[in-house]
Amino acid sequence: MADKLTAVKGMNDLLPADTHAWEWFEALVRDLMRRHGYRNIRTPIVEPTALFVRGLGEVTDIVEKEMYSFEDRLNGDSLTLRPEATAGVVRATVEHNLLYEGGKRLYYMGPMFRHERPQKGRYRQFHQIGAEALGFGGAEVDAELILMAHRLWQEIGLTDVRLELNSLGQPAERAQHRAALIAHFEAHADVLDEDARRRLHSNPLRILDTKNPAMQSVVESAPKLIDHLGQASRSHFDAVRAILDANGVTYRINPRLVRGMDYYNLTVFEFITDRLGSQGTVCGGGRYDYLIEQIGGKPAPAVGWALGVERVLELAREAGRWPSAPVPDAYAIVPDAAHLPQVMALVQHLRGAGVAVQMHAGQGEGMGSMKSQFKKADASGARHALVFGEQEMQAGCLTLKALRDGQGAQQQVEISRWPEWAPALIHSPGSG
Ligand code: ATP
Ligand code: MG
């Protein structure tokens, strides 16, 4: 036998035992987006490396050490598997002039790639769902996005997700704060780790995002950006808060919340849970009013968030909010393969009418015994068996047998009259 090939480390297969939950979640999100007026956008998985270097910032974890970049051997271009999708959505928005008639509300779903150390809740290929509102500068859109994510937790039934909020202000305010921050960290240079020392002058804000326990106290005592905010930034923040308050959404202001990319300004936020260990951030986002311009577009404000699908689903599983796997409405049992053409003609009619029918399938020779077919029907979870026995078929009939509720109850029905009896077989998903 040939050697087995395995998946790339940190890149997971999603198998049928779980994918129904992914589909359930994706359907829920699509409907949520529809109700909030967000339209789907699908951008390529591969983008020019320069997009991320310019968009996310050179001195960020992602750009420094997490990107899958490679040279296109055919023309020497440097390309990168997208580590996140905001930069690509902005590129597409600019490239296709989507803001020509005003703001756009967009959402996406799909795989992202980061070369991280794989562990629970942290993978090298993972999936994000994100929402972006481009061309809108008002605080009400920040609030709308936060409320939309909050509603999503409610609709899945997650109660252990808390909201943290901060404002990163505007570039001038950040410059002031940055100077104060450098002075603070220089005064405590002895406790800085290698990463922090390297970033001290290139990107000191990023030091606040450290996960190094030895640096927590120097980070705790660092000057807070929120104390350097001017009137306009402060009132934007207050306006977001007022809308959240009116909606009964609780939050904690976390002055040290900075997020992993450089493109943010004003509002930033994260939804966090304690139920997933150290990989507790399920969703993060904020305003990025300068990114569109940085990527070559006409200056326009924007705000968005992204959630990690693996983490949200893990949380749903923990919380007992895992949907049950789909089962067929009916399982077709066919003792004699000679009847297959007629049976399958009927089964296609039933499927066309909305009945989920699973056909028994043989191993190659014949269909197998009635007993083994009934066993498979049971194992499938089907609510009914459609039994196409010899005698029934002679009479143009089949036997409809209940396998679950009213177990054992059976009746003969005429094949040609399927439009009359088929609708009663349909069991809508989620109805118990
Ligand atoms: P973390 O602090 O956990 O590294 P991040 O700040 O890098 O997260 P973002 O870039 O803001 O994360 O991405 C948004 C969301 O995507 C995260 O909140 C998380 O749920 C998810 N996510 C990010 N990286 C991974 C990964 N490697 N594996 C699984 N999910 C991830
Ligand atoms: Mg990260």
Side-chain angles (χ1 to χ4, degrees):
M1 273 213 283
D3 284 348
K4 281 208 181 99
L5 291 167
T6 57
V8 175
K9 186 176 173 204
M11 305 202 179
N12 303 312
D13 297 308
L14 301 172
L15 303 175
D18 290 336
T19 45
H20 71 279
W22 284 69
E23 291 183 324
W24 160 79
F25 181 56
E26 288 160 2
L28 215 132
V29 169
R30 282 199 186 91
D31 192 59
L32 179 86
M33 295 294 172
R34 182 187 61 78
R35 281 176 281 145
H36 287 78
Y38 285 67
R39 302 275 301 270
N40 189 220
I41 183 165
R42 306 182 186 207
T43 61
I45 282 170
V46 177
E47 295 275 2
T49 302
L51 174 67
F52 302 113
V53 176
R54 221 203 285 176
L56 276 53
E58 221 148 337
V59 192
T60 54
D61 275 350
I62 295 180
V63 172
E64 280 187 332
K65 49 193 181 199
E66 296 175 358
M67 293 203 305
Y68 281 94
S69 299
F70 58 97
E71 185 189 299
D72 182 335
R73 273 186 295 170
L74 299 179
N75 59 12
D77 289 350
S78 178
L79 305 178
T80 293
L81 300 185
R82 62 183 188 192
E84 58 98 64
T86 301
V89 167
V90 168
R91 179 204 45 72
T93 299
V94 171
E95 191 167 334
H96 304 286
N97 206 12
L98 294 187
L99 299 184
Y100 180 68
E101 293 172 320
K104 277 272 182 298
R105 291 174 164 96
L106 305 171
Y107 79 92
Y108 59 82
M109 310 185 169
M112 307 296 158
F113 303 83
R114 296 184 193 177
H115 199 282
E116 303 202 67
R117 191 169 68 77
Q119 53 195 293
K120 187 180 168 202
R122 195 175 290 288
Y123 311 102
R124 290 181 174 174
Q125 174 173 334
F126 62 100
H127 298 76
Q128 285 186 342
I129 293 177
E132 316 281 0
L134 303 115
F136 301 103
E140 68 279 8
V141 186
D142 310 30
E144 168 183 286
L145 278 154
I146 294 172
L147 292 173
M148 181 162 71
H150 177 80
R151 168 146 291 288
L152 181 58
W153 318 138
Q154 284 185 323
E155 292 186 3
I156 314 173
L158 303 179
T159 48
D160 285 337
V161 183
R162 60 176 200 274
L163 172 61
E164 295 201 345
L165 206 59
N166 191 20
S167 175
L168 299 182
Q170 298 290 13
E173 294 153 359
R174 284 168 76 157
Q176 244 191 35
H177 172 247
R178 185 191 145 100
L181 208 55
I182 292 175
H184 171 78
F185 285 127
E186 273 176 340
H188 297 87
D190 50 321
V191 294
L192 300 187
D193 62 16
E194 192 192 321
D195 256 2
R197 238 170 270 151
R198 191 165 37 81
R199 288 170 173 182
L200 181 53
H201 292 278
S202 55
N203 198 344
L205 200 65
R206 186 85 317 108
I207 300 176
L208 299 177
D209 201 22
T210 181
K211 284 166 182 137
N212 182 351
M215 286 177 49
Q216 291 312 311
S217 82
V218 67
V219 161
E220 288 286 319
S221 59
K224 298 180 174 64
L225 176 51
I226 209 157
D227 298 329
H228 291 257
L229 294 186
Q231 190 46 49
S233 295
R234 191 159 282 286
S235 66
H236 186 98
F237 195 51
D238 292 343
V240 175
R241 294 181 54 187
I243 296 170
L244 297 182
D245 292 341
N247 278 274
V249 174
T250 56
Y251 52 84
R252 185 175 83 92
I253 295 172
N254 175 0
R256 268 170 284 279
L257 179 65
V258 293
R259 311 273 309 118
M261 298 80 157
D262 282 355
Y263 50 58
Y264 290 109
N265 68 301
L266 292 175
T267 320
V268 290
F269 53 91
E270 286 188 348
F271 287 94
I272 302 171
T273 178
D274 296 320
R275 296 181 74 140
L276 296 178
S278 50
Q279 268 58 255
T281 305
V282 293
C283 175
R287 190 160 266 292
Y288 51 93
D289 293 334
Y290 303 97
L291 183 60
I292 296 176
E293 184 178 1
Q294 215 167 307
I295 291 188
K298 221 173 91 201
V303 51
W305 54 245
L307 65 81
V309 180
E310 283 84 355
R311 291 186 195 177
V312 173
L313 286 180
E314 190 53 37
L315 191 54
R317 199 198 293 269
E318 287 266 322
R321 309 298 304 197
W322 198 249
S324 51
V327 296
D329 295 318
Y331 190 102
I333 290 175
V334 190
D336 185 350
H339 293 308
L340 280 172
Q342 197 194 343
V343 168
M344 290 185 71
L346 171 68
V347 164
Q348 285 309 101
H349 283 309
L350 297 181
R351 289 169 173 164
V355 187
V357 187
Q358 188 153 330
M359 269 300 298
H360 181 75
Q363 304 281 321
E365 275 172 47
M367 299 295 281
S369 70
M370 281 287 254
K371 193 173 160 206
S372 71
Q373 294 196 40
F374 264 109
K375 257 194 176 158
K376 283 277 192 324
D378 256 332
S380 77
R383 291 187 169 74
H384 296 89
L386 309 175
V387 188
F388 296 87
E390 195 56 43
Q391 278 176 5
E392 292 101 313
M393 294 297 281
Q394 295 287 345
C397 292
L398 62 89
T399 299
L400 203 57
K401 186 169 182 201
L403 298 176
R404 295 279 175 280
D405 319 324
Q407 198 185 353
Q410 57 180 63
Q411 63 179 121
Q412 278 210 357
V413 293
E414 279 177 53
I415 289 177
S416 63
R417 298 177 75 168
W418 65 266
E420 294 166 30
W421 52 260
L425 298 177
I426 299 173
H427 191 270
S428 58
S431 58

